[in-house]
Each structure stands twice: as structure tokens, then as C-alpha cells.
Amino acid sequence: RPEGTLGMWTGWTDAIEEKVCVTTIATHYGAALQHLERCADGLVLAHCGLDAAMQAHDMHGEATLRVLLGNLHTRMGTFPRARAFFERALALFRLCGIPVAVASTLCLLAELAHKQGKMLEAASNYDGALTIFRDQKMPLAEAQILKTLGEIRRELQDGATAQQLFLEAMGIFHAAHSIPGQAECLLSMGMLKQAQRMPEDARLDFENAAVLFHRLGNFSAEAEAVKRRADCALAVQKFPEAEMAFRAAVQLYERLGNIRALAECCRGLGVVASRRDDVPAA
């Protein structure tokens, strides 16, 4: 809970003169400010910490604070400055010989490129991080990147590669007994099949994803999976299932207070009723 520790960190910063300690505190305090959406305050503190790290010739501290500054600028939408901080942090982590930090920074650069619509650049950075995580024997991190690469390939309309990446990620998540990873993969695979106009196959993926998200208590993701299952059931004229799924989604979105999604589900129920009436009796 960052809001409960801001005062304590402020006191430490005022009391401590050692540059390395100031760097460490600035890193954590700045991250807390970022989570509290106080990015302008976070920038001031992070720059103070960065100055202290550079004066102490603390490359690791400097790199860490540059990552924080990149995250703050990303949150504020100043992407060119974020890129500059991330790239300098990446070079410093490489000099320090910290491969996991290098991989994590490559992921941040990939996320930034993705936000800017630079899909191929994002994929290239993710590939670099993937190689490192594989070398470091970090299967969950590897699987997460495989899933993200699948989503990028889906956006690039490379369905075959996307499916292969999702299946590889799913296998790793299953072997590691990662329920969140499996749920996210099922949702992504369902979205791919839905985009490929394979509603029957997508419907099953969404159904299984909804069950897992429910177990996790992730009601927002569960609602999305249930609604997509309803859309697919409607597409293949499974009207009772579509109605049941839309009603379940309505309950979830009411609980979440998502008015727009609630309206879409109610419209879906109307479409189910009208199409059911149009289908002649057997």
C-alpha cells in the first residue's frame, strides 16, 4: 500500500545523506507516487535520486531510476523521453551484467513500441527478452512473452504464427500449474478464433477461460469471456446458450458498474429474442 508509506519515506529522505541510500529510497518512493498517479511529483523525486546515483557512480541505481523515469513518462504519454530513459537503462544494465534486468527493460521498450503502433519493433524487443528468459530458465516469464508475441501476431493478422505461440505458451503455463496464465491464453486463443470466424471453437475457449477467471476472482476478465462466449453462441444460432451467457454477463457487468458493456449485453439479449422468433419451428 504505497499511500501508507509515503510519509515514512519522506522522513528517511530528509534524514539520510548517503547517496546510495537516497537512490534506493527515491526509487521506491517514486514508484509509489507513480501508482498514486502523482507522476509530476514522481519525476521530481526520481531526478533527485538519479543525480545522487550518478554522483555515487552507482550504475545499477542509475539504471533503476532511469527505468522509473521511463515508466513515469510512459504514464504521462511523453513517449520519446520514455524511450530515451529506457534505452540508457538498457545500456547500463548490460554494462552491469544483469541479464534479467536487460530482459525486463527490453519488455518495457517493447510495450512502448506497441503503444506507438510499432508492432515489428515491439516483436523484435520481445524476441530479445525471450532469448534471455529462456537462457535464465524462467519458464513463466518465457510463457508470458510467448503469449504477448501471439497477440502481436494476431494484430498483424498472422493467425498461424499466433496460434502456434499461444499453444506453446499454454503448454508452459499448464506444466507450471499457472491458472492465471492458462486463463489469459484461453481468452487470447478464443479472440484469435473469433477474428478468424471460427465461433464454434472460440466459444469453447471462452467458456473454459470464464471458469478459470471465476476461480481467480477476476470478474472483469470473466465478464469479457462470458460476453464473447455469448457472441459466439449467437453466431452459431445456439440461442439458449447465448441467452444464458448474456444474462450471466449482465450480472457481472452490473456488479462491476460497467454501463457500456451492460448495454451491449442487453442489446445482445434483444438480438437473441428476435432471431429466435425468426427461426421456423422444426
Side-chain angles (χ1 to χ4, degrees):
R1 297 188 53 183
E3 69 277 10
T5 53
L6 292 182
M8 180 172 62
W9 278 333
T10 302
W12 287 350
T13 306
D14 292 340
I16 294 176
E17 296 181 357
E18 290 84 349
K19 298 300 183 184
V20 173
C21 293
V22 171
T23 298
T24 303
I25 293 167
T27 300
H28 293 290
Y29 189 4
L33 290 169
Q34 177 188 339
H35 287 297
L36 291 174
E37 300 290 345
R38 290 172 53 186
C39 292
D41 292 336
L43 284 176
V44 172
L45 184 68
H47 276 292
C48 290
L50 181 60
D51 290 341
M54 294 175 73
Q55 290 176 32
H57 305 289
D58 176 11
M59 283 199 301
H60 180 268
E62 179 185 347
T64 302
L65 279 157
R66 287 185 182 279
V67 166
L68 173 59
L69 284 161
N71 285 331
L72 288 165
H73 278 292
T74 299
R75 184 73 65 92
M76 296 172 71
T78 47
F79 295 151
R81 298 205 66 185
R83 177 185 293 274
F85 280 116
F86 287 145
E87 287 177 346
R88 180 57 182 156
L90 180 65
L92 288 168
F93 281 133
R94 281 175 170 153
L95 284 173
C96 291
I98 309 175
V100 174
V102 171
S104 297
T105 309
L106 282 169
C107 288
L108 291 171
L109 281 166
E111 291 171 13
L112 185 62
H114 197 179
K115 288 178 185 291
Q116 295 177 291
K118 300 176 180 179
M119 299 301 184
L120 295 179
E121 179 184 334
S124 176
N125 283 323
Y126 277 128
D127 282 334
L130 180 62
T131 299
I132 294 172
F133 285 133
R134 280 176 171 163
D135 289 343
Q136 296 296 310
K137 303 295 189 290
M138 299 176 66
L140 288 178
E142 176 188 348
Q144 190 63 44
I145 291 181
L146 286 168
K147 183 185 77 70
T148 305
L149 282 168
E151 290 165 353
I152 290 175
R153 289 298 169 186
R154 184 185 66 208
E155 291 181 46
L156 293 171
Q157 298 184 346
D158 183 0
T161 304
Q163 180 70 4
Q164 181 181 352
L165 289 164
F166 287 143
L167 289 173
E168 189 176 352
M170 187 67 175
I172 296 172
F173 283 131
H174 186 267
H177 306 288
S178 172
I179 302 300
Q182 292 178 63
E184 291 172 7
C185 260
L186 284 166
L187 183 62
S188 293
M189 287 192 292
M191 291 170 67
L192 173 64
K193 293 169 185 174
Q194 193 175 24
Q196 293 176 322
R197 298 183 181 179
M198 300 166 60
E200 183 64 40
D201 292 338
R203 182 179 63 85
L204 297 174
D205 285 336
F206 292 138
E207 181 180 1
N208 292 326
V211 170
L212 295 180
F213 283 129
H214 182 78
R215 286 176 57 186
L216 295 166
N218 188 340
F219 300 117
S220 178
E222 180 189 357
E224 180 181 2
V226 170
K227 182 185 178 299
R228 287 182 177 276
R229 175 193 174 188
D231 290 333
C232 291
L234 180 60
V236 295
Q237 296 189 355
K238 295 186 180 235
F239 298 124
E241 179 181 340
E243 180 179 3
M244 178 192 70
F246 275 129
R247 291 191 184 280
V250 163
Q251 292 179 348
L252 288 165
Y253 282 126
E254 282 180 340
R255 180 176 183 177
L256 295 165
N258 189 330
I259 304 302
R260 178 176 295 181
L262 183 60
E264 291 176 359
C265 291
C266 291
R267 184 177 59 188
L269 284 168
V271 173
V272 169
S274 65
R275 291 193 182 178
R276 177 185 282 169
D277 292 340
D278 290 341
V279 175

